[in-house]
Amino acid sequence: MDRIRIVGGPPLVGSIPISGAKNAALPLMIASLLTDQPLILENVPRLADVGLLQRILVNHGVDVTLGGKRPGDAPYDGQTLHISAARIVDTTAPYDLVSKMRASFWVLAPLLARMGQAKVSLPGGCAIGTRPVDLLIMALERLGAKIEIDAGYVLAYAPNGLRGGEIVFPKVTVGGTHTALMAASLAQGKTLIENAAQEPEITDVAECLNKMGAKISGAGTSRIVVEGVSKLNGARHRVLPDRIETGTYAMAVAMTGGDVLLEGARPELLQSGLDVIKQAGANIYPTNQGIRVTRNGAGISPVDVTTAPFPGFPTDLQAQLIALMTRAKGTSRITETIFENRFMHVQELMRFGAHIHLDGQTATIEGVGRLKGAPVMATDLRASVSLVIAALAAEGETMVNRVYHLDRGFERLEDKLGACGATIQRISA
């Protein structure tokens, strides 16, 4: 099993190309099931989760091919996937595949909408709370689906097609909103989605669906209207840049000092996160090429932050912010409101000498003058990279174990950081 070795100290200087957003690429790939024509996706990141979803799609009879490189392509340019679901041969998504990645459960909606039935295993994925699928199922039932749960599988039926309806989510759900958008696109009549998630990735998926012939308005707001159509076409779409990767590397620069251009990053996708990083003492400059992040030697200032759905501070940056605050001059408080079990990184950060106290859903961090390198273990996708941020500023050597979690969400992390002066290397078992 691979490990990553980091020797802390050097500031980060240079440029880091921001990859396509994992949280948009996965639902966009799943949307290919809605049409029998090819969907071409550009700027797809090279991640373990993308590879796993390819295998799930192939299991349904989908052809996935990789577009060749074009002249002038840089090594970090995202891959181009040609996805063709001309004929779906199997409407079952088995446990051994779905259990490895939670987002794969979303195939339920397009399979049901296009084929009139689907059988999908209840999901697995990150161990960060229960993250139930009841809201996704509720959305499909509002559109006329008949659903049973049997032996760990969700069995969904709509032999005469789905019908438009009103979906009111009791709380904001990204997965539920993606599910509702895909299902409603092929439903008969109009669907109204209230209390919809407003994340940029939702907007990106809606834009792609509209290119495919869907009639969606209001994506990016809490109220989305979908006029169902009988058939969707193929399309070509470029995945938007990853705002979580953007925020992660911005915090790495704030932690180590230095001057880094985050190439291709878009500030409007992450304004609340960038505001917090500025509050912590970094300088943020939007440019034509992306976002430039610098920090002088003045040190890191403490912050008080509560995670919230977009446009609030993202839960996917909470672990990274806690790592940054371990070196702040004072006391910080970070409250997690999205997932109930998302502090598993705290015990590992304390191995560096961090002072962190947990009380329910709030972490209180007393900044320390120095961190010391240590052997640590990645626990989930986003938390893993918080250990890298701490290690970059720690004295001595850190060994991050179980880095397959990192490979699920961060493309070529050690190459990107190494190019900016970090002492970092992957050690293959």
Side-chain angles (χ1 to χ4, degrees):
M1 199 175 289
D2 287 6
R3 299 178 292 164
I4 289 180
R5 176 180 175 270
I6 300 168
V7 179
L12 298 175
V13 177
S15 62
I16 293 176
I18 297 301
S19 299
K22 172 185 114 90
N23 287 347
L26 298 180
L28 285 166
M29 290 171 68
I30 289 170
S32 68
L33 292 165
L34 289 165
T35 178
D36 60 4
Q37 296 180 26
L39 178 63
I40 301 170
L41 297 177
E42 300 173 347
N43 199 35
V44 177
R46 297 168 180 82
L47 300 172
D49 276 7
V50 169
L52 176 60
L53 184 54
Q54 286 183 45
R55 294 204 297 277
I56 290 169
L57 292 176
V58 166
N59 180 70
H60 295 301
V62 178
D63 291 321
V64 183
T65 57
L66 196 57
K69 272 194 172 184
R70 298 185 177 184
D73 278 359
Y76 298 110
D77 285 346
Q79 52 193 345
T80 298
L81 296 185
H82 295 249
I83 310 174
S84 175
R87 191 163 154 264
I88 293 173
V89 299
D90 192 343
T91 56
T92 298
Y95 170 77
D96 62 327
L97 292 175
V98 179
S99 63
K100 294 173 183 166
M101 183 180 62
R102 179 167 194 83
S104 57
F105 180 77
W106 300 345
V107 300
L108 182 69
L111 287 174
L112 177 65
R114 181 172 161 198
M115 305 300 292
Q117 65 178 45
K119 178 182 178 183
V120 179
S121 170
L122 288 166
C126 287
I128 51 172
T130 53
R131 303 172 85 185
V133 297
D134 55 341
L135 297 182
L136 285 70
I137 291 171
M138 178 273 283
L140 295 175
E141 287 178 331
R142 291 285 189 276
L143 301 181
K146 297 284 184 282
I147 293 184
E148 305 168 16
I149 298 178
D150 182 51
Y153 278 80
V154 175
L155 284 66
Y157 306 95
N160 300 314
L162 295 170
R163 299 185 311 276
E166 187 171 347
I167 301 168
V168 182
F169 288 117
K171 64 178 182 179
V172 174
T173 161
V174 172
T177 304
H178 278 311
T179 296
L181 278 180
M182 290 191 216
S185 292
L186 288 181
Q188 301 161 38
K190 184 166 89 172
T191 297
L192 176 63
I193 306 168
E194 295 276 14
N195 200 25
Q198 300 176 49
E199 272 69 5
E201 296 80 16
I202 297 284
T203 306
D204 204 40
V205 171
E207 286 176 3
C208 180
L209 290 171
N210 282 341
K211 289 179 187 175
M212 294 164 68
K215 295 180 179 176
I216 301 167
S217 58
T221 74
S222 62
R223 188 177 191 270
I224 301 176
V225 177
V226 185
E227 295 278 357
V229 297
S230 60
K231 184 177 172 60
L232 291 176
N233 315 308
R236 187 178 197 106
H237 184 77
R238 182 173 179 84
V239 180
L240 86 173
D242 195 318
R243 63 196 171 98
I244 303 304
E245 188 186 42
T246 300
T248 297
Y249 287 125
M251 289 192 206
V253 178
M255 185 67 149
T256 63
D259 186 340
V260 172
L261 173 66
L262 303 176
E263 293 176 33
R266 285 168 43 192
E268 74 274 12
L269 304 180
L270 187 66
Q271 200 54 58
S272 64
L274 296 177
D275 288 346
V276 168
I277 296 166
K278 275 196 270 191
Q279 199 182 330
N283 301 307
I284 308 280
Y285 307 102
T287 75
N288 291 336
Q289 292 80 40
I291 299 172
R292 184 175 165 214
V293 185
T294 68
R295 183 176 75 80
N296 58 26
I300 298 164
S301 301
V303 298
D304 286 3
V305 170
T306 299
T307 63
F310 190 86
F313 187 87
T315 179
D316 280 353
L317 286 175
Q318 175 254 103
Q320 298 90 311
L321 183 59
I322 288 181
L324 178 60
M325 289 301 104
T326 62
R327 290 293 314 279
K329 294 178 176 176
T331 302
S332 305
R333 287 175 187 82
I334 300 171
T335 301
E336 174 60 58
T337 66
I338 311 297
F339 297 125
E340 72 273 16
N341 187 25
R342 205 167 205 183
F343 284 129
M344 291 189 294
H345 49 284
V346 164
Q347 293 300 325
E348 296 300 304
L349 287 172
M350 289 168 73
R351 293 172 60 81
F352 291 97
H355 292 175
I356 306 170
H357 173 70
L358 291 179
D359 182 10
Q361 294 300 99
T362 299
T364 301
I365 307 106
E366 301 278 353
V368 296
R370 58 197 276 253
L371 300 174
K372 294 192 72 174
V376 291
M377 187 173 290
T379 53
D380 68 58
L381 188 160
R382 300 303 182 188
S384 308
V385 82
S386 71
L387 308 179
V388 173
I389 289 173
L392 289 170
E395 297 174 6
E397 178 183 296
T398 294
M399 193 72 77
V400 182
N401 297 288
R402 282 174 46 180
V403 299
Y404 61 85
H405 285 296
L406 280 168
D407 294 337
R408 288 185 53 210
F410 292 92
E411 181 178 19
R412 301 183 180 185
L413 174 123
E414 64 274 19
D415 294 344
K416 291 184 179 184
L417 288 171
C420 291
T423 306
I424 180 170
Q425 66 180 130
R426 178 177 291 253
I427 300 172
S428 297

